[in-house]
Amino acid sequence: MIIRIAHLYPDMLNLYGDRGNIIALTQRLKARSIDVLVDQITMGKSFNADDYDILFIGGGQDFEQDVLLDDLKRGKDVQISKAINNGAAMLAICGGYQMLGKYYKTYDGKMLDYIGAIDFYTEGREERMIGNYAFKTKEGIEVVGFENHSGRTYLGDGVEPLGKVIKGFGNNGEDSTEGVRYNNTFGTYSHGPILPKNPQLADLLISKAIENRYGKCELEPLDDSLEEKARAQVMKLYIK
Ligand code: GLN
């Protein structure tokens, strides 16, 4: 079995070590004797959604998000929407997450029209939302992370969040929602990176990717004692 990962804009969208998510996915797949292929999809390089099982986009600043817009509109937007609708697993962080929605209006009034693959929009404000935070998914996974964003994201009616905020701001600091979940796509504000610190979430994403390509999947458990210790420490120090 092989799982193919597309890492979108690895050189442009990589805040707070977001690339660590690729390392966590790769290691957890290899530990189960599943082959992994990672392709770096940079600006100017086209890609075909059908070739990948997992798509990953990290976070960036308003500047990079603006610079990428033209490249996104030259076909990557269509392929990303296709992957989402075909049920590929996808993880999008902060600025990358904002790019999946309809638009991002920056705090200084610049309008960035995005893919609109999922019904939500983001509007920036001068005051940023920064700090360690946590949220809980519908499976009961308590995810710890770090957020730093000016954008406030508002989900459309009936659009499911990735989780409910336990502590921190999440999507907008108002409605206790964090991130988005649509088909097998997860959008989140969590940098840090999120997957090494939250192995259960990493495995959820991996199992969605395997199920979508190969059918039912039972992941062999791994020894996550060190990861769980780190997560518990973050919880103790910053959250509960
Ligand atoms: N530029 C976006 C914002 O500030 C995203 C920031 C990020 O990816 N950390 O809302």
Side-chain angles (χ1 to χ4, degrees), residues 7-10 12-22 24 56-62 64-65 91-99 104 128-135 143-151 153 162 167 169-171 178-179 186-198 201 231 234 238-239:
H7 187 178
L8 288 144
Y9 302 123
M12 300 283 285
L13 298 178
N14 179 33
L15 278 181
Y16 302 113
D18 285 335
R19 198 175 64 86
N21 292 308
I22 296 284
F56 174 72
I57 314 185
Q61 301 180 39
D62 293 3
E64 283 97 11
Q65 288 178 244
L91 178 65
I93 312 293
C94 200
Y97 159 38
Q98 294 169 353
M99 286 163 61
Y104 172 39
R128 302 187 67 84
M129 301 192 282
I130 307 174
N132 293 290
Y133 79 127
F135 60 93
V143 179
V144 294
F146 173 77
E147 60 183 329
N148 181 356
H149 49 114
S150 125
T153 295
L162 181 57
K167 187 172 176 189
F169 299 97
N171 277 337
E178 156 58 17
F186 299 170
T188 176
Y189 272 107
S190 180
H191 292 286
I194 185 172
L195 296 184
K197 276 190 291 197
N198 298 282
L201 191 71
R231 215 179 61 85
V234 175
Y238 303 113
I239 310 296

Side-chain angles (χ1 to χ4, degrees), residues 11 14 20 35 41 53 59-60 65 80 88 115 133 141 179 183 185 192 205 220 235:
D11 45 352
N14 179 33
D35 292 329
I41 314 292
D53 306 302
Q65 288 178 244
I80 291 170
I115 303 175
Y133 79 127
I141 305 172
N183 283 352
T185 291
L205 198 71
E220 190 190 312
M235 271 287 181

Side-chain angles (χ1 to χ4, degrees), residues 44-115:
K45 187 169 171 183
S46 59
F47 84 107
N48 186 340
D50 296 333
D51 294 342
Y52 296 99
D53 306 302
I54 301 180
L55 267 63
F56 174 72
I57 314 185
Q61 301 180 39
D62 293 3
F63 174 76
E64 283 97 11
Q65 288 178 244
D66 191 8
V67 168
L68 289 175
L69 205 51
D70 283 346
D71 184 76
L72 194 65
K73 297 278 168 77
R74 272 187 228 114
K76 285 195 182 76
D77 51 353
V78 174
Q79 294 304 319
I80 291 170
S81 297
K82 191 172 161 197
I84 292 173
N85 289 322
N86 288 349
M90 173 153 180
L91 178 65
I93 312 293
C94 200
Y97 159 38
Q98 294 169 353
M99 286 163 61
L100 305 183
K102 291 180 178 163
Y103 70 84
Y104 172 39
K105 190 173 174 194
T106 64
Y107 77 95
D108 52 359
K110 190 171 268 181
M111 188 69 174
L112 306 178
D113 271 321
Y114 278 141
I115 303 175

